């Protein structure tokens, strides 16, 4: 197994909240949380669906952007085990991702897609049982407004709430709580912190259920 495979496997046991707790300890802003992105498929904000994988980034821009359109369709080069992360300009009313994209991504071994914008074909996505996390849904395709100019490049989260960058190969973790980016250079530092925190929290839960106060349990097990 590659180091990337080992990290992905290790992350499977943790929630997005666990990852954020570790990143806060490492002073990474907002604990890696990417605001506004929630689960739409296979269900709307319910169930145990979780995806973990390195980001395969896709950058959409307005048609008047001087950069040339990317020469190949990004969906045909999705790496196995990756999370497709599609970035679209903020407040774009058109969808930038649809059911056929998920059909191809799933066939190539992607674990799910995160759409920083709108997507469409919601029922088709759910029929595929393919995980989708996004800002919202839409109906119109993107071609009248946008074009893809690059893949596997750093992309900015399209919100005025945060200044967050998703780099190719950064680990994307998404579940019912939301979407988190774990910078690849911090993963090996973050994993032991997750393990320690989860162990402490499990002990705290038992103690609190036994009647101890939260403050006392926190002091005893978190230090």
């Amino acid at each position: 197994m590659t180091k990337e495979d080992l990290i992905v496997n290790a992350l499977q046991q943790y929630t997005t909240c666990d990852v954020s707790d570790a990143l806060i300890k490492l002073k990474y802003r907002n604990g890696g949380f990417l605001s506004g992105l929630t689960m739409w498929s296979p269900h709307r904000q319910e169930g145990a669906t979780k995806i973990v994988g390195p980001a395969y980034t896709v950058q959409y821009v307005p048609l008047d952007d001087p950069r040339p359109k990317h020469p190949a369709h990004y969906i045909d080069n999705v790496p196995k085990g990756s999370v497709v992360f599609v970035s679209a300009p903020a407040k774009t009313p058109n969808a930038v991702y649809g059911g056929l994209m998920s059909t191809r991504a799933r066939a190539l071994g992607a674990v799910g897609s995160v759409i920083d914008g709108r997507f469409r074909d919601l029922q088709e996505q759910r029929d595929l049982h393919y995980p989708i996390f996004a800002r919202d849904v839409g109906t119109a395709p993107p071609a009248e407004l946008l074009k893809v100019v690059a893949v596997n490049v750093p992309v900015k989260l399209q919100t005025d709430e945060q200044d967050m960058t998703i780099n190719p190969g950064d680990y994307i973790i998404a579940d019912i709580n939301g979407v988190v980016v774990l910078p690849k250079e911090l993963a090996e530092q973050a994993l032991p912190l997750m393990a320690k925190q989860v162990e402490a929290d499990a002990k705290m839960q038992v103690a609190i259920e036994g009647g101890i106060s939260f403050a006392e349990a926190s002091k005893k097990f978190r230090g």
Side-chain angles (χ1 to χ4, degrees), residues 45-68:
Q45 284 299 99
E46 68 174 13
T49 296
K50 179 172 69 175
I51 60 174
V52 180
Y56 171 71
T57 60
V58 180
Q59 186 178 34
Y60 272 93
V61 298
L63 291 179
D64 60 4
D65 187 291
R67 286 172 289 180

Side-chain angles (χ1 to χ4, degrees), residues 1-11 80 171:
M1 295 181 99
T2 66
K3 183 171 78 170
E4 185 177 82
D5 292 334
L6 292 170
I7 290 171
V8 168
N9 285 346
L11 286 169
K80 184 178 181 180
Y171 297 97

Side-chain angles (χ1 to χ4, degrees), residues 67-87:
R67 286 172 289 180
K69 182 179 178 180
H70 190 67
H73 202 297
Y74 73 87
I75 206 66
D76 287 322
N77 294 293
V78 173
K80 184 178 181 180
S82 66
V83 174
V84 181
F85 191 100
V86 180
S87 173

